[in-house]
Amino acid sequence: MSDTEENPPEETRENGETEKEEEEEEYNPREEEEMSGEEEEMRGEEEEMRGEEEEMRGEDMRGEEEEMGGEDMRGEEEEMGREDMGGEEEEMGGEDMRREEEGMRGEEEEMGEEEMRREEEMRGEEEEMRGEEEEMGEEDMRREEEEMRGEDMRREEEEMGEEDMRREEEERRGEEEEMGGEDMRREEEEMRGEDMRREEEEMRGGEMRREEEEMGEEEMRGEEMREEEEEMGGGEERGEEEEKIWEGKESSEEEKSEEKEISKGTGGEEEDKEEEEEEYIGESKEGREEEEKEKSGEWEKEEEGIALKKAERKTGKAQEERKKKSKKPIQVDDIVISSDPPQSSSSLSSSHSHSPEVSEIYKDVSMTVDNIEEATIGSQEETGQKPEDISAQDEARFRKLSFSLDERQRLFQSKELSAEESLVSISTEDTLFQKEEDSKVYPLSMTWSFGWNSSLPVYYMREDRRVILYICGHTAVIYDVFRNTQYHLQGHPNIISCLCVSEDKRWIATADEGPDCLIIIWDAFTGIPVHTIFDSCPDGNGIRSIAITRDSKFLATISDSETQKVCIWKWTLAVETPACTLELPKEYGFQENLIFNPANNKEMVSNSKTQAIYYCWFEDKGILVHSAPLLTEKTFNKLVGKFSQSIFHLKLPQVLSATKEGKMVVWDIHYPPSSSTTATTTTTTSSSSSSADSVSAFPFIKPRKLVHLQKEAITVLTTVDSYIVTGDIKGNIKFYDHTLSVVNWYSNFKLSAIRTLSFSKTLPSPPTEKSNLPTDCTLRGDLFVVRNFIIGTSDATVYHMTVDGTKLEKLFVEPRDAVYAVSCHPYQPLIAVGSVCGMIKVWDFEKKVYLFSRAFEKGLGVQCLTYNPEGALLGAGFTEGTVYILDAMSLENECSEPFKYSKSSVSHVSFSHDSNYMATADTNFTVAVYIVVVKSGQRVWEYLARLRSHRNSIRSLLFGVHLDSNEPRLLSLGKDRFLIEYNLLKSYKDHLEVLDIHRTDQGNYPTCMIWYPPLTKELFLLICNSGYKVKLFNATTKMCRKTLLGPAYGSPIEHAQVLPVKSTLELQKRYLVFINKDKVGLQILPVDGNPHKTCAIVCHPNGVAGMALSHDGRFAFTAGGQDRSVVQWKINLGALEAAVSLGGEDLTPFYGLVSGGREGKFYRELEDYFYYSQIRSQGIDTMETRQVSEHICLSELPYVMRAIGFYPSEEKIEDMFNEIKFSEYVDTGKLIDKINLPDFLKVYLNHRPPFGNTMDGIQYSFDVLGFTNSEGKKAIRREDFLNLLLTKGEHMTEEEMFDCFATLFGLTPEGWKSEPAATCLKGPEICLQKELPEEITAEIFTTEILGLTLSDSSEQLNQ
């Protein structure tokens, strides 16, 4: 991450350079026009000199070159060097441009064979000269360079004329002064090379032209670059430049990135020099490579690549300058999101790859060389040029090198940079609520959240739209008050335990508590999670407190574990591990509040109820030290009280801690001398004021004084602008200056205890004549000016305070206690929500508008709510046993007095279809019935009777209708596994008649019951149980007709309802909405065990308390209980149907439920057992012709089930038989006595345990039936074990028991009662006493008696 701090000297220099660059950029549009003029002039000169050039070819030119002496050339060059180069040094301010021009002149004449030989000699001299360059002065270097040029320069002056040459140099010098920048200088060099090369072609004639075609333009450019590199080394300036080059190479990419960030806005001289030097070195290397390729005839292949690289460099420079004047593509509010410091645009892609979230937002912003080459070739094709068109080579090369800056910029803009495509980088405050609704890809999606966690802060995000942030369960909600819209930040698997917001309100950090806890950093403008930290607290229960620095670069967290850990995270680098960790001693207490020093992001303070801790982070050493002096009553000889919150002083090096006694503890921060700090090399991770060594080495705090501010306990302590702000338990809000003198307060609003204060990021407007600001408490009586703020109170109310006019506005009031009750109106978009705090609120869930509410007296907590079928009444059951019948529209009592017949919490309320009966169930397993009677012409509710009909908690209370009449019927289902129906017609005052009792399960207990929709001719009751099974019972006979595998999402179904339909056309396609421990889900009816016909989503991680469905079936509502929220879910049935179609048809989904699938070993064994059972049923030893079919008789079904590892009880076997026998009875009137293989597979999958046989079930039985033996294990004695088998549960006969043991011990080869000859001949007692141990434990019973093996990786049993 780049350093964003400003340096004043750099700023001055950069501002100056900015003016210079602006002047240089004014001449850019004229660059190509001036170059075109030069080209025309040079062409005219070439025509005049063409005749002379024809005579200077072949051997004459070589002879002339040999006759020319070195001394004459030196004298001529000295004369020309003093004239041409001296003026250039004065105007250019350096030696670089003069040497470039000399190099070009030398290149123009070195074309003959002698020139090539001389060139090789010069190369050797250049290598020797590089060693001497730093010792030689400027004059010595110039003399050596003049000697190296030889007679080539003199010959040029004779042929072209000294005046022409001077004129060209003056023109070019003027152009260089106008252009000045690096881009223009490079283009001028390329233009000069083009012009001089054309001139040389005319001078040398045919032979020289052929040589030029072989060597090409790139050789000349390579010579030019080599000469420039050589000349750059002369004098003191070359030494400095060379030192900078090597320093730039050796320095880390991070340092270069920071220097670029500092000078990025203005582009100073140092940056230009560094880039120019890197350019020269790169060009020199390219020149040497091209020279080698020239010798092998490869220059034509590399020509276009070199030109495109130069175009890329120029385009990149222009693009960089354009970005400097606009916004930074990778920076958002000076926060660079990357895993390493931004070295270059091309490195951003790899640096962001460390974080999946960040890499999706900040992608590679560079344009690769391949892209530029492709784009440039495309431009060539548009102009009609072909790379291999040698006849038009000169014009094509010139066109390439003069590729206009505007065209290159348009080229880059056409390849839209991915950083600019990122929502995070281009978003504004309005982006969040301008987002379109997400496509309907989820069957259930959150649309609204009722309630908020008042234990956590609420933040004022934006004042103009009054946007606030708060927590609701495991979701962070951004709420636009004016538009009445919510945006949900979803991603946490557990309840959010803490959050913080950056100073500019751009970044939101949330953390949760529980297994697999997460820390997520969100972009407040888009709602996008820019970074997620996994496994932030692997040893604890999650995160207790979180804080962010003022510059948003660092996060700090305190874990929620027995031994707390403080961690600092460099979240902008997309790392998964903390930069520093500190483990706190237990004696410090449970630290709950954490905050950074706004003036120094290396300092923090936290506090528990008894101890405040100061932290100082030494980033370079990677350690976090702390100071935690113990504060007692003896410290100040006064009662201090328990700490509530701590902050840093606004102006002084102090820490302030507020207490429950209304006092403020002032701590002084003592900093060690800088020498001791720098000299310390210890790796200690903590310090205490009690240690002399630590005190001398690290900062620490000491209590300074105790200030008694008020009598009321201080609950909130924060700062804003120049004020220290407190909120107390009486609802008072006070503002103090830095001396802790009160400035203003608000105490006349009669608020509850203040929980949170959050100020707007918008500065207050200056006072005007129309302002109605209060005056402060000072003697001057100045106007009190402060930002508007949000207030959160302990009664879950949120207020907005407008300081100008002292206007307090209530934004919303939510339940402050657990929410268990929720019910939807039968035909209006209304939802009633009841809380344990005694409040009932009614909302319009379509408009998201609160309508009305009622708060009951203290001690009455709402436990359950139900509308009657007409929607006129609302039945309410309370925690202390009271039952109210309320008017649905006013919440007034329908009866004069509530019913108080129960002494425990009322858990269920239900109305009959005609609203003549109401039934309730309480936690004392009692069912009570109320009836409507007519008195004096008015319908009045009266108590009828009550009965304690169950032995365990009542899970469902359901009204129905008799098939032969319109009379209501009442049923209750208990955890005691009993389904009880009551006879309402025969019941009378204080007597509730029971019609029948049926047991629904044998091992598992039922969880809920509903009426199955009329999808078949037979009417069913649908009962879910704790074994993840869904059972259908005949509504009249109570016979179990079908057992099916239900949704298995970590816990069994707790409550279910059939989704209402909008029209009769939808009656044949019905859906079930269910909740389990923490999820809400959908199930397509009819249930058949297909796992693809169901889905679920986490709705309340700490537990779902209730569920309701809207009258039109569009929404589901879930109550979160302890998280104090109700969530509205939009139902999208199309997405669920699509998932079912993807799962396959017929038996395809069921094959996936068995190990190995259709082609696996298990299914093949099942086929073998299936057909073997046919042989067994026909007799193993029969000699008759066997009849092979696709079916087996029902009597063989238990044996095949047991053979493949499923051991059903006799009751389950009976349920299987009934399910198969009566499967077609309603339609055909016939009973089925056989089953085929596909149907057998479905029966097996629906009846078997969903997670296989586990040791837990067997161990539970031994825990209940056994005793603790000498080894501390639960065991059953052999005699007791045999007695239990003969007398308890589905007891066996002695013959059955001995046959079973004989089979298990291998005494019967063909199985239980398979053949008469297999009967054990020995006495049963002798046989069992020999085979069974005296004490039987769960492990012995499983492994030695049943012969099963335990899997090492799990507790599942294998056959």
Side-chain angles (χ1 to χ4, degrees):
M1 184 170 61
S2 61
D3 191 358
T4 58
E5 296 181 1
E6 297 182 357
N7 190 333
E10 283 292 333
E11 183 178 0
T12 305
R13 179 183 56 74
E14 291 168 1
N15 292 338
E17 274 302 305
T18 303
E19 296 176 1
K20 182 178 179 180
E21 285 188 4
E22 291 176 356
E23 292 177 2
E24 292 168 356
E25 291 172 1
E26 292 177 1
Y27 293 94
N28 289 348
R30 295 176 8 197
E31 173 193 358
E32 294 183 4
E33 296 179 2
E34 294 175 355
M35 290 183 177
S36 300
E38 291 176 12
E39 181 184 358
E40 294 299 329
E41 293 176 3
M42 296 303 297
R43 284 179 181 167
E45 294 173 4
E46 290 168 3
E47 293 297 331
E48 294 175 2
M49 299 169 64
R50 193 177 300 249
E52 296 177 4
E53 293 165 1
E54 295 296 331
E55 300 174 358
M56 298 178 66
R57 291 197 302 268
E59 295 295 327
D60 295 338
M61 182 174 290
R62 292 192 193 92
E64 182 181 353
E65 289 167 354
E66 292 172 358
E67 292 172 0
M68 292 176 177
E71 293 297 323
D72 295 336
M73 181 270 295
R74 271 196 300 275
E76 187 121 4
E77 181 141 358
E78 285 176 6
E79 182 180 353
M80 191 174 72
R82 291 189 188 97
E83 259 181 78
D84 297 339
M85 300 175 188
E88 181 181 345
E89 288 172 1
E90 295 174 0
E91 295 175 8
M92 295 293 295
E95 301 254 335
D96 294 338
M97 295 305 298
R98 179 180 58 76
R99 294 189 182 113
E100 290 172 17
E101 292 167 4
E102 290 175 1
M104 286 187 288
R105 291 192 203 100
E107 290 171 11
E108 292 164 6
E109 303 303 330
E110 295 171 3
M111 287 299 156
E113 291 180 1
E114 189 67 20
E115 290 172 286
M116 292 296 297
R117 182 182 57 78
R118 222 181 275 117
E119 196 172 287
E120 294 296 329
E121 296 173 357
M122 287 170 62
R123 245 182 238 112
E125 292 176 2
E126 286 171 10
E127 296 297 328
E128 297 174 0
M129 287 172 58
R130 285 194 183 96
E132 301 172 2
E133 281 169 353
E134 302 199 359
E135 299 176 359
M136 297 171 62
E138 192 174 37
E139 291 300 325
D140 295 337
M141 181 57 87
R142 189 182 295 113
R143 266 198 306 275
E144 286 195 13
E145 292 168 353
E146 291 168 354
E147 292 173 1
M148 288 167 56
R149 298 300 181 277
E151 56 186 87
D152 296 334
M153 192 64 72
R154 191 181 66 247
R155 186 185 54 183
E156 179 194 350
E157 291 179 7
E158 291 174 357
E159 293 173 351
M160 293 184 59
E162 192 171 352
E163 282 187 31
D164 294 337
M165 201 62 172
R166 270 203 198 104
R167 188 180 68 249
E168 288 179 14
E169 292 301 320
E170 289 171 0
E171 290 175 357
R172 290 187 180 88
R173 212 173 279 120
E175 291 174 2
E176 291 163 2
E177 292 174 1
E178 294 171 353
M179 291 187 290
E182 184 64 31
D183 295 335
M184 299 307 162
R185 228 172 8 250
R186 283 198 296 269
E187 289 192 14
E188 180 186 4
E189 292 165 8
E190 293 163 2
M191 284 291 297
R192 191 181 297 111
E194 292 286 347
D195 296 341
M196 299 305 291
R197 196 154 37 251
R198 283 194 294 273
E199 187 176 331
E200 290 160 10
E201 290 173 359
E202 299 297 336
M203 290 165 54
R204 289 173 179 75
E207 181 179 351
M208 298 298 291
R209 201 171 285 113
R210 282 193 301 274
E211 290 177 355
E212 181 190 0
E213 288 174 357
E214 293 173 0
M215 299 176 65
E217 172 192 21
E218 299 308 322
E219 181 216 315
M220 303 301 297
R221 197 173 299 132
E223 294 297 328
E224 168 191 336
M225 294 170 185
R226 245 189 344 274
E227 291 296 329
E228 290 170 357
E229 181 185 14
E230 173 192 347
E231 291 161 1
M232 283 171 60
E236 296 176 359
E237 180 180 348
R238 187 194 182 285
E240 294 175 0
E241 293 172 349
E242 191 173 49
E243 182 179 355
K244 289 180 182 178
I245 291 171
W246 294 112
E247 287 177 356
K249 283 188 175 181
E250 294 170 358
S251 64
S252 66
E253 291 296 323
E254 181 177 356
E255 292 171 349
K256 287 197 288 187
S257 172
E258 292 177 355
E259 290 172 5
K260 289 178 183 178
E261 280 297 313
I262 293 173
S263 59
K264 193 170 183 180
T266 56
E269 290 179 357
E270 292 180 6
E271 181 186 53
D272 291 342
K273 285 183 180 181
E274 289 178 5
E275 293 176 356
E276 180 179 349
E277 290 160 6
E278 292 173 0
E279 183 78 17
Y280 288 157
I281 292 175
E283 291 176 353
S284 301
K285 291 181 179 178
E286 290 173 4
R288 285 193 291 272
E289 293 171 1
E290 291 155 15
E291 186 176 6
E292 294 174 0
K293 292 175 183 177
E294 168 194 358
K295 296 178 181 179
S296 58
E298 295 179 359
W299 70 273
E300 293 182 67
K301 297 180 182 179
E302 293 297 320
E303 175 187 333
E304 289 213 5
I306 298 299
L308 291 173
K309 287 179 181 178
K310 284 183 173 291
E312 179 194 3
R313 283 195 295 267
K314 283 178 267 181
T315 308
K317 176 72 175 178
Q319 186 74 2
E320 183 180 356
E321 290 175 355
R322 184 179 66 82
K323 290 180 182 178
K324 289 174 185 176
K325 296 177 182 179
S326 63
K327 65 179 181 181
K328 305 173 185 177
I330 299 305
Q331 285 192 275
V332 184
D333 297 344
D334 294 331
I335 301 300
V336 182
I337 312 294
S338 66
S339 60
D340 291 306
Q343 302 160 4
S344 64
S345 61
S346 62
S347 68
L348 287 170
S349 177
S350 60
S351 66
H352 291 146
S353 63
H354 291 76
S355 170
E357 292 76 20
V358 175
S359 63
E360 292 174 3
I361 303 165
Y362 300 97
K363 299 178 181 175
D364 186 3
V365 300
S366 65
M367 178 177 249
T368 61
V369 175
D370 294 338
N371 290 339
I372 295 182
E373 291 177 352
E374 179 183 354
T376 309
I377 293 172
S379 175
Q380 293 169 359
E381 292 174 354
E382 292 176 3
T383 57
Q385 180 208 355
K386 298 180 181 179
E388 60 272 11
D389 190 0
I390 304 300
S391 62
Q393 189 102 14
D394 293 343
E395 184 178 357
R397 289 172 183 165
F398 177 79
R399 193 172 299 162
K400 266 194 260 183
L401 294 175
S402 62
F403 195 51
S404 73
L405 184 63
D406 293 338
E407 289 180 33
R408 285 187 291 252
Q409 289 180 352
R410 285 197 297 271
L411 171 66
F412 267 76
Q413 291 170 1
S414 67
K415 301 276 187 182
E416 298 179 7
L417 297 180
S418 56
E420 294 177 356
E421 293 175 353
S422 167
L423 282 176
V424 175
S425 62
I426 65 172
S427 60
T428 64
E429 289 182 311
D430 296 324
T431 303
L432 185 66
F433 292 99
Q434 291 174 354
K435 280 186 163 185
E436 297 181 0
E437 185 178 357
D438 293 338
S439 57
K440 298 178 180 180
V441 296
Y442 301 109
L444 291 163
S445 55
M446 181 186 295
T447 59
W448 197 262
S449 182
F450 303 91
W452 71 289
N453 188 349
S454 57
S455 301
L456 297 178
V458 56
Y459 286 97
Y460 200 173
M461 302 297 292
R462 186 176 173 187
E463 184 172 349
D464 58 344
R465 296 265 292 276
R466 199 161 293 176
V467 178
I468 61 176
L469 169 73
Y470 57 88
I471 299 301
C472 183
H474 67 308
T475 304
V477 180
I478 301 177
Y479 177 45
D480 188 328
V481 176
F482 289 161
R483 293 189 179 184
N484 193 33
T485 54
Q486 288 183 354
Y487 189 89
H488 304 106
L489 306 180
Q490 301 180 76
H492 283 281
N494 307 299
I495 294 294
I496 295 177
S497 57
C498 54
L499 77 160
C500 62
V501 177
S502 62
E503 180 76 14
D504 58 0
K505 307 299 173 70
R506 179 65 193 269
W507 309 106
I508 302 168
T510 56
D512 60 58
E513 55 184 3
D516 302 322
C517 62
L518 301 178
I519 299 174
I520 304 179
I521 297 90
W522 313 81
D523 173 28
F525 288 3
T526 62
I528 293 174
V530 295
H531 185 49
T532 301
I533 300 174
F534 299 90
D535 298 325
S536 57
C537 187
D539 301 329
N541 299 322
I543 304 299
R544 184 61 180 177
S545 184
I546 190 169
I548 190 168
T549 56
R550 189 167 189 174
D551 59 7
S552 306
K553 293 182 179 180
F554 307 116
L555 279 177
T557 59
I558 298 181
S559 63
D560 187 3
S561 57
E562 186 177 357
T563 301
Q564 292 184 291
K565 288 184 179 180
V566 181
C567 299
I568 297 179
W569 308 83
K570 295 182 178 181
W571 72 271
T572 58
L573 300 184
V575 295
E576 293 291 334
T577 56
C580 192
T581 302
L582 172 66
E583 192 170 295
L584 299 178
K586 295 181 181 179
E587 54 266 23
Y588 287 174
F590 196 76
Q591 301 290 314
E592 296 182 328
N593 301 286
L594 180 67
I595 189 173
F596 274 99
N597 187 349
N600 182 358
N601 58 13
K602 301 299 188 296
E603 293 182 325
M604 300 180 295
V605 64
S606 70
N607 68 266
S608 62
K609 293 181 179 179
T610 59
Q611 194 127 16
I613 306 177
Y614 163 80
Y615 309 87
C616 186
W617 178 33
F618 292 87
E619 184 178 3
D620 54 344
K621 300 178 182 178
I623 62 172
L624 181 65
V625 300
H626 73 282
S627 173
L630 183 62
L631 195 64
T632 64
E633 296 181 7
K634 296 181 179 180
T635 305
F636 300 108
N637 293 323
K638 291 182 180 179
L639 178 63
V640 177
K642 294 181 179 180
F643 294 121
S644 56
Q645 289 186 2
S646 299
I647 60 170
F648 284 91
H649 197 283
L650 292 169
K651 297 182 179 180
L652 302 175
Q654 292 179 341
V655 173
L656 307 178
S657 298
T659 73
K660 298 294 186 180
E661 296 295 324
K663 300 174 182 179
M664 188 83 73
V665 179
V666 180
W667 312 81
D668 279 340
I669 304 176
H670 295 268
Y671 296 99
S674 58
S675 60
S676 65
T677 303
T678 56
T680 303
T681 59
T682 180
T683 58
T684 304
T685 58
S686 65
S687 67
S688 176
S689 60
S690 61
S691 173
D693 295 336
S694 300
V695 167
S696 63
F698 299 110
F700 63 94
I701 59 172
K702 274 188 175 182
R704 178 182 179 88
K705 59 182 176 180
L706 182 66
V707 182
H708 196 164
L709 296 180
Q710 59 187 45
K711 295 181 179 180
E712 297 82 9
I714 299 175
T715 55
V716 175
L717 178 62
T718 185
T719 60
V720 59
D721 299 331
S722 60
Y723 299 114
I724 299 169
V725 191
T726 65
D728 60 38
I729 199 170
K730 294 291 186 181
N732 303 320
I733 302 171
K734 298 181 181 180
F735 294 80
Y736 300 87
D737 61 13
H738 68 279
T739 65
L740 295 181
S741 299
V742 66
V743 178
N744 194 25
W745 69 86
Y746 298 96
S747 60
N748 55 346
F749 294 112
K750 298 180 180 180
L751 305 178
S752 299
I754 306 297
R755 282 283 180 85
T756 178
L757 294 171
S758 180
F759 290 83
S760 169
K761 67 177 181 180
T762 305
L763 293 173
S765 302
T768 62
E769 295 181 356
K770 297 182 180 180
S771 299
N772 186 19
L773 295 168
T775 58
D776 59 25
C777 302
T778 61
L779 295 176
R780 295 192 304 272
D782 297 332
L783 293 178
F784 178 68
V785 181
V786 75
R787 311 180 192 206
N788 297 335
F789 54 95
I790 292 289
I791 307 169
T793 61
S794 59
D795 60 354
T797 307
V798 177
Y799 301 91
H800 179 269
M801 171 63 76
T802 304
V803 177
D804 191 354
T806 315
K807 301 174 184 176
L808 185 69
E809 176 186 358
K810 183 185 292 184
L811 300 184
F812 55 80
V813 183
E814 296 295 349
R816 64 178 182 272
D817 214 331
V819 177
Y820 295 111
V822 59
S823 181
C824 287
H825 197 276
Y827 56 86
Q828 290 185 9
L830 304 179
I831 180 173
V833 179
S835 170
V836 175
C837 66
M839 176 186 291
I840 298 177
K841 293 186 67 174
V842 178
W843 293 76
D844 184 327
F845 59 77
E846 286 187 348
K847 298 179 180 179
K848 312 299 187 298
V849 176
Y850 157 72
L851 299 177
F852 47 87
S853 64
R854 177 178 175 181
F856 291 84
E857 56 266 27
K858 189 175 182 180
L860 290 179
V862 183
Q863 185 68 33
C864 56
L865 291 172
T866 303
Y867 282 97
N868 74 331
E870 287 81 15
L873 302 176
L874 180 65
F878 287 77
T879 55
E880 41 73 62
T882 304
V883 177
Y884 278 81
I885 300 178
L886 308 173
D887 182 86
M889 293 297 112
S890 64
L891 299 183
E892 297 296 328
N893 291 356
E894 186 71 13
C895 303
S896 57
E897 293 293 333
F899 299 107
K900 297 182 179 180
Y901 292 94
S902 177
K903 296 180 180 180
S904 61
S905 178
V906 178
S907 57
H908 296 80
V909 174
S910 182
F911 286 92
S912 64
H913 71 287
D914 55 5
S915 297
N916 288 331
Y917 291 91
M918 182 183 75
T920 64
D922 59 31
T923 55
N924 278 341
F925 326 136
T926 302
V927 174
V929 178
Y930 305 87
I931 189 171
V932 173
V933 296
V934 179
K935 290 185 178 180
S936 303
Q938 293 184 350
R939 292 167 56 90
V940 180
W941 284 94
E942 285 188 352
Y943 163 76
L944 179 61
R946 59 196 302 265
L947 177 66
R948 194 173 190 268
S949 51
H950 290 274
R951 294 179 296 177
N952 208 327
S953 61
I954 297 174
R955 307 294 297 187
S956 292
L957 187 65
L958 194 63
F959 273 100
V961 182
H962 283 286
L963 295 178
D964 53 352
S965 66
N966 199 33
E967 293 297 323
R969 54 190 297 196
L970 177 63
L971 303 95
S972 65
L973 179 67
K975 196 175 179 179
D976 55 3
R977 303 177 182 86
F978 287 118
L979 172 62
I980 301 176
E981 183 171 2
Y982 305 89
N983 191 336
L984 297 177
L985 296 178
K986 294 185 178 180
S987 299
Y988 50 90
K989 188 72 172 179
D990 294 329
H991 177 76
L992 185 59
E993 184 76 17
V994 174
L995 183 61
D996 56 42
I997 301 176
H998 290 273
R999 193 178 68 177
T1000 61
D1001 285 278
Q1002 192 174 29
N1004 302 311
Y1005 61 86
T1007 57
C1008 65
M1009 172 180 62
I1010 59 171
W1011 290 106
Y1012 194 72
L1015 300 177
T1016 61
K1017 296 179 181 179
E1018 195 172 0
L1019 185 61
F1020 293 117
L1021 281 167
L1022 185 149
I1023 297 178
C1024 303
N1025 67 18
S1026 59
Y1028 298 89
K1029 304 298 182 183
V1030 174
K1031 289 189 172 185
L1032 298 182
F1033 289 83
N1034 183 282
T1036 304
T1037 64
K1038 310 297 192 306
M1039 177 190 293
C1040 179
R1041 291 279 287 101
K1042 194 170 274 191
T1043 301
L1044 302 158
L1045 177 65
Y1049 293 103
S1051 59
I1053 294 177
E1054 298 288 337
H1055 182 57
Q1057 291 185 32
V1058 177
L1059 194 67
V1061 295
K1062 301 177 184 177
S1063 63
T1064 56
L1065 299 176
E1066 301 176 358
L1067 288 176
Q1068 295 305 313
K1069 192 69 174 178
R1070 304 303 295 273
Y1071 301 85
L1072 187 74
V1073 184
F1074 64 87
I1075 58 173
N1076 62 6
K1077 181 180 178 181
D1078 59 350
K1079 300 176 184 69
V1080 58
L1082 290 172
Q1083 168 75 56
I1084 299 177
L1085 297 178
V1087 181
D1088 59 2
N1090 184 349
H1092 298 286
K1093 294 175 68 173
T1094 181
C1095 69
I1097 186 173
V1098 175
C1099 55
H1100 302 278
N1102 281 12
V1104 190
M1107 181 187 69
L1109 301 178
S1110 63
H1111 66 282
D1112 54 5
R1114 293 171 53 217
F1115 300 102
F1117 300 86
T1118 56
Q1122 294 297 330
D1123 67 11
R1124 293 168 273 182
S1125 67
V1126 173
V1127 178
Q1128 179 178 350
W1129 303 89
K1130 188 173 183 179
I1131 298 174
N1132 177 24
L1133 300 176
L1136 181 58
E1137 293 289 352
V1140 175
S1141 62
L1142 294 175
E1145 299 178 351
D1146 300 328
L1147 288 177
T1148 302
F1150 296 93
Y1151 290 140
L1153 296 176
V1154 298
S1155 176
R1158 175 67 177 82
E1159 304 299 327
K1161 178 182 178 182
F1162 178 86
Y1163 189 79
R1164 294 190 179 278
E1165 286 185 353
L1166 175 59
E1167 288 180 323
D1168 294 341
Y1169 287 131
F1170 189 81
Y1171 292 111
Y1172 176 73
S1173 68
Q1174 295 185 23
I1175 299 175
R1176 184 177 180 278
S1177 62
Q1178 297 175 22
I1180 295 176
D1181 298 329
T1182 182
M1183 300 300 294
E1184 297 180 1
T1185 303
R1186 298 190 179 278
Q1187 303 294 326
V1188 179
S1189 69
E1190 297 179 353
H1191 298 78
I1192 60 172
C1193 60
L1194 290 185
S1195 61
E1196 293 294 318
L1197 184 141
Y1199 302 108
V1200 181
M1201 287 288 184
R1202 291 171 181 138
I1204 59 177
F1206 173 39
Y1207 308 98
S1209 64
E1210 294 300 314
E1211 183 176 306
K1212 289 183 179 180
I1213 292 174
E1214 188 66 26
D1215 290 342
M1216 292 182 198
F1217 286 165
N1218 291 334
E1219 181 176 331
I1220 297 168
K1221 283 181 182 179
F1222 296 99
S1223 58
E1224 300 177 5
Y1225 184 79
V1226 176
D1227 297 326
T1228 64
K1230 297 180 180 180
L1231 299 177
I1232 305 299
D1233 59 355
K1234 60 183 179 179
I1235 186 172
N1236 58 20
L1237 183 58
D1239 290 340
F1240 179 88
L1241 178 64
K1242 289 184 178 180
V1243 171
Y1244 164 73
L1245 292 174
N1246 283 315
H1247 282 264
R1248 70 169 183 175
F1251 306 111
N1253 298 309
T1254 61
M1255 190 63 190
D1256 289 340
I1258 298 176
Q1259 186 63 55
Y1260 176 75
S1261 300
F1262 275 79
D1263 291 342
V1264 174
L1265 301 174
F1267 70 99
T1268 305
N1269 61 11
S1270 58
E1271 298 178 359
K1273 297 181 179 180
K1274 291 290 185 178
I1276 303 176
R1277 294 183 180 87
R1278 180 174 54 207
E1279 293 76 12
D1280 296 336
F1281 180 74
L1282 297 175
N1283 184 53
L1284 289 171
L1285 294 177
L1286 294 172
T1287 59
K1288 301 295 183 182
E1290 292 181 348
H1291 55 82
M1292 298 178 177
T1293 64
E1294 287 190 5
E1295 182 182 3
E1296 291 172 340
M1297 184 182 69
F1298 291 132
D1299 282 343
C1300 285
F1301 278 115
T1303 303
L1304 289 172
F1305 296 147
L1307 303 178
T1308 304
E1310 295 296 338
W1312 181 22
K1313 288 187 177 180
S1314 59
E1315 297 293 337
T1319 306
C1320 181
L1321 301 178
K1322 297 182 180 181
E1325 292 81 3
I1326 301 174
C1327 211
L1328 295 179
Q1329 289 180 359
K1330 178 181 178 182
E1331 299 293 342
L1332 292 177
E1334 186 176 351
E1335 290 184 357
I1336 302 172
T1337 63
E1339 290 80 4
I1340 293 174
F1341 175 75
T1342 304
T1343 58
E1344 297 183 14
I1345 298 177
L1346 297 182
L1348 302 177
T1349 58
L1350 284 173
S1351 174
D1352 294 335
S1353 59
S1354 66
E1355 294 183 345
Q1356 185 167 346
L1357 301 175
N1358 299 322
Q1359 187 177 9

